[in-house]
Amino acid sequence: MPISNTYQPSAPTAKSGQGSAVSNREDLSNELAILAPEETPLLSLASKGKASSTYTEWTVDSLSAPVTTGVSEGSDVTSFSDKFADRARLGNYIQLMRRDYLVSNLQQAVTSVGPANIAQAEAKSMREIKRDIEATIASDKEMTVENGAGTPYGMRGLGKWIQSTAQATNPVPADYRTPSGSILSAAPTETTFNDVVGSIFSRNGEMNSLTLVANVALRKVVSGFTRATSAASSQTYHVNQDATSKAITFAVNLYDSDFGIVKIVNGNPSCMTASNGLGYVINPKYLGFNTLIPMGATRLENQGGGERGYIDVAGTLCVKHPQAHGKIAY
């Protein structure tokens, strides 16, 4: 017996018919899901400022070592010290970032999910460029200067700022480099992680709230803190929780160290792509992002194909005090 069903052919038949399936309406939700991580914790931690040149600079200074000896009664002042002799100038080049878009005239006219029009293309480009900035901040990228032959201005990433060794490009003076004790090249234990925080404290003497921005591999290691030791005794840390919530918490979001509280947040996995552990211990007080050209949209002439334009921003990372931060990379 003939029956109409959802799988009737939709292609024309010999009788020029297309079957019952051709009448079925599509079920397409108006909801659009973006299947990509968007958070930018490093950029969010940085204070925002303005740049006025392609090379942004700032100065650092230090105090002399404490003196415990006294001064003899009646002694005159016969020697003097230059209180600004230890000042140093640090800097970073700006980087111009751009995302373009084009939507045809027909696509702009039709009704679509999302929708897929010029306004949404513009908004999506803004979201993408924020991730571009985050990835550059989290990188080991060295600064570059425009040479007119294909090399653009490029800003230096945190991986280059937080290092204890001599630096060829825009060298940070030895007295202001991140000490080796603040850099960990192996998977952290509670002891070694506490050593990193202690090293940061020894340089600035501040019990500021630090933030560890960790990639997936490192976050897993930190969440294992205070559970079990690797010693032969295999000591285990026990935690009592209220069972009424019917939930067991294994995540470590705050680490209360001997030298201050460290907040643990997840880094964007698309921006911190190292296969092994990577994380930055950040003191937000000494991290900034200065913009020369604020993020904005520019629409270009429609030459017949459709609406087009681009989003751009020019800015740079300012690591105001390299000794105020730490790094874990293994």
Side-chain angles (χ1 to χ4, degrees), residues 64-87:
S64 60
V67 176
T68 59
T69 56
V71 177
S72 299
E73 181 180 359
S75 62
D76 291 329
V77 179
T78 58
S79 61
F80 301 88
S81 58
D82 181 359
K83 290 301 178 184
F84 309 113
D86 294 330
R87 282 192 178 182

Side-chain angles (χ1 to χ4, degrees), residues 98-316:
R98 180 186 298 160
R99 287 281 183 165
D100 58 81
Y101 50 88
L102 170 64
V103 178
S104 73
N105 293 325
L106 292 178
Q107 181 60 53
Q108 179 70 13
V110 302
T111 301
S112 56
V113 171
N117 58 22
I118 191 66
Q120 287 298 314
E122 190 173 274
K124 186 176 180 180
S125 293
M126 286 186 176
R127 295 157 75 180
E128 290 174 337
I129 211 167
K130 284 184 63 180
R131 298 202 317 165
D132 295 342
I133 297 172
E134 181 78 2
T136 308
I137 291 175
S139 72
D140 286 327
K141 182 176 176 291
E142 185 55 274
M143 70 173 70
T144 55
V145 59
E146 182 82 41
N147 65 0
T151 300
Y153 287 116
M155 70 177 176
R156 189 183 218 195
L158 275 173
K160 285 296 184 181
W161 279 108
I162 305 177
Q163 59 176 329
S164 59
T165 55
Q167 302 165 31
T169 304
N170 184 38
V172 177
D175 290 343
Y176 297 104
R177 292 175 196 151
T178 307
S180 57
S182 299
I183 301 172
L184 191 60
S185 57
T189 63
E190 285 190 74
T191 299
T192 57
F193 183 71
N194 202 48
D195 288 342
V196 170
V197 180
S199 176
I200 294 173
F201 173 79
S202 69
R203 294 294 174 165
N204 61 17
E206 299 176 357
M207 294 282 283
N208 296 80
S209 292
L210 302 174
T211 299
L212 170 63
V213 181
N215 73 346
V216 174
L218 178 58
R219 182 63 191 264
K220 289 180 179 179
V221 173
V222 174
S223 290
F225 283 1
T226 67
R227 300 219 187 134
T229 67
S230 58
S233 59
S234 187
Q235 298 174 346
T236 304
Y237 183 77
H238 297 279
V239 178
N240 293 325
Q241 289 185 256
D242 186 358
T244 58
S245 65
K246 297 182 180 180
I248 299 176
T249 302
F250 283 131
V252 176
N253 297 316
L254 287 175
Y255 184 82
D256 194 354
S257 75
D258 297 328
F259 310 100
I261 294 175
V262 182
K263 182 180 179 181
I264 316 296
V265 301
N266 293 329
N268 188 312
S270 294
C271 302
M272 300 179 72
T273 57
S275 57
N276 296 323
L278 174 64
Y280 296 103
V281 184
I282 299 299
N283 186 334
K285 178 180 176 181
Y286 298 104
L287 191 73
F289 187 81
N290 290 0
T291 54
L292 179 64
I293 300 175
M295 186 182 299
T298 301
R299 293 284 181 92
L300 301 176
E301 178 188 2
N302 184 339
Q303 297 182 343
E307 296 291 336
R308 56 183 183 153
Y310 62 88
I311 303 294
D312 67 348
V313 61
T316 191

